[in-house]
Amino acid sequence: MTFGERLMSLRRARGLSQEALGDMLDVTRQTVSKWERGDSTPELEKLRALARCFGVTLDELVEDGEPAPERKSAPLKG
């Protein structure tokens, strides 16, 4: 599921229109539409506001809540 699809799903589950969500975030309905279509991506502060609005973490919002694969770090040289 893409970010836009998750955003649309969360918005609809809360019974919000694009305009209502835009008003909550101080953006236009057209901006919300662009996010949902994948034509643009919200800035970090708007992502944080979206996560708070929907009661999800940033990971759940942008990465569908799937944990990132573990990375092995290189030993520090000192």
Side-chain angles (χ1 to χ4, degrees):
M1 182 181 286
T2 67
F3 166 76
E5 291 168 337
R6 276 189 299 286
L7 177 58
M8 184 185 302
S9 176
L10 288 166
R11 177 180 60 77
R12 287 180 174 173
R14 303 294 189 291
L16 295 171
S17 66
Q18 288 178 337
E19 187 170 0
L21 180 58
D23 288 346
M24 293 171 69
L25 300 171
D26 198 27
V27 299
T28 65
R29 177 201 60 78
Q30 291 86 348
T31 297
V32 174
S33 177
K34 286 180 182 180
W35 294 343
E36 291 182 352
R37 287 192 321 261
D39 292 344
S40 67
T41 305
E43 294 178 0
L44 181 57
E45 287 306 313
K46 297 299 183 191
L47 287 170
R48 287 179 176 156
L50 284 165
R52 283 191 302 270
C53 174
F54 295 123
V56 297
T57 66
L58 282 174
D59 281 348
E60 290 168 330
L61 182 63
V62 299
E63 297 180 13
D64 207 15
E66 295 177 14
E70 280 192 44
R71 294 184 184 141
K72 294 192 178 206
S73 58
L76 296 175
K77 295 181 181 181

